[in-house]
Amino acid sequence: DFLFFWGAVFLVTTTLVALFKKENKELIPAKEETKGITDTYRLLFSIIRMPAVLTFCLLILTSKVGFSAADAVTGLKLVEEGVPKEHLALLAVPMVPLQIILPLVISKYTAGPQPLNTFYKAMPFRLLLGLEFAFLVWWAPKVKHEGGFPLYYYAVVVLSYALHQITLYSMYVAIMAFNAKVSDPLIGGTYMTLLNTVSNLGGNWPSTVALWLVDPLTVKECAGAQGHACRTAEAAEV
């Protein structure tokens, strides 16, 4: 019902825009930064070959490796330990106001000449929260009872997620502010798109690798099956 409602809203609003919004043809169009797709990729290639940009891309492609397991696996492991998926989804609701307010607050600190200061000041705290998430997963079976999980456990989870959002948005807003600051205004769109794409990729590929490594790195024990290590999926099935 939720998806149907917002799908209908999306279709109606975009249709209204298509029907009633007209381009102002009297305005003189600004000079385009590129002539076509080929020129755009040629320009991107010339940007990424710059030594400073290349170094920066390597840094942001690897800067989020330390958070990948905590970000990608924690929710799945909590579900595996018995935390209901609907409860975890409900815990995301209090995060929405926080996610709206945080960029407004953080932007005051990233508006100066060195926006990346906020990025690397938030990094150690986000790494420590990875340990906190590991503790939440370890703690889950200890506090679980027949009725589910106690209220104080959910309170700790919400607080942990809120602190995580603060560090996450501090780094996110800082990197966006830095990308906007260093991008050449003449080719701003292409420059910003390149840096933001690399930044997003730097967060996505470590999470994919972390998810892929979960199974081979998980230590399993077989109950009632002597001589079986359960190291492979087939052995665990047996």
Side-chain angles (χ1 to χ4, degrees), residues 144-163:
K144 186 180 179 182
H145 50 74
E146 289 183 6
F149 290 84
L151 193 60
Y152 63 82
Y153 180 77
Y154 287 117
V156 173
V157 171
V158 170
L159 180 62
S160 302
Y161 270 67
L163 293 172

Side-chain angles (χ1 to χ4, degrees), residues 99-208:
Q99 291 167 350
I100 295 170
I101 295 167
L102 278 174
L104 298 173
V105 176
I106 297 165
S107 61
K108 296 177 182 178
Y109 301 96
T110 57
Q114 295 178 317
L116 276 187
N117 281 353
T118 306
F119 182 90
Y120 55 73
K121 282 178 182 175
M123 186 175 283
F125 295 102
R126 193 170 171 188
L127 286 168
L128 287 172
L129 282 168
L131 296 176
E132 163 70 4
F133 282 0
F135 168 75
L136 287 176
V137 174
W138 172 84
W139 193 29
K142 311 289 183 186
V143 296
K144 186 180 179 182
H145 50 74
E146 289 183 6
F149 290 84
L151 193 60
Y152 63 82
Y153 180 77
Y154 287 117
V156 173
V157 171
V158 170
L159 180 62
S160 302
Y161 270 67
L163 293 172
H164 178 259
Q165 289 294 312
I166 293 171
T167 58
L168 187 151
Y169 271 82
S170 296
M171 296 179 70
Y172 176 77
V173 174
I175 203 77
M176 291 296 152
F178 180 80
N179 290 347
K181 195 172 188 66
V182 300
S183 297
D184 188 342
L186 294 175
I187 50 171
T190 305
Y191 217 122
M192 276 285 287
T193 302
L194 173 66
L195 295 180
N196 289 342
T197 300
V198 174
S199 179
N200 290 333
L201 187 61
N204 289 334
W205 79 261
S207 295
T208 304

Side-chain angles (χ1 to χ4, degrees), residues 5 8 10-11 14 17 21 25 31 41 51 73 76 82 103 112 129 135 137 161 165 180 185 200 207 213 228 233 235:
F5 173 78
F10 185 84
L11 288 171
T14 49
V17 170
K21 177 65 180 172
K25 296 181 180 179
K31 184 183 177 185
Y41 279 99
V73 184
L76 298 173
L129 282 168
F135 168 75
V137 174
Y161 270 67
Q165 289 294 312
N200 290 333
S207 295
L213 286 172
H228 288 279

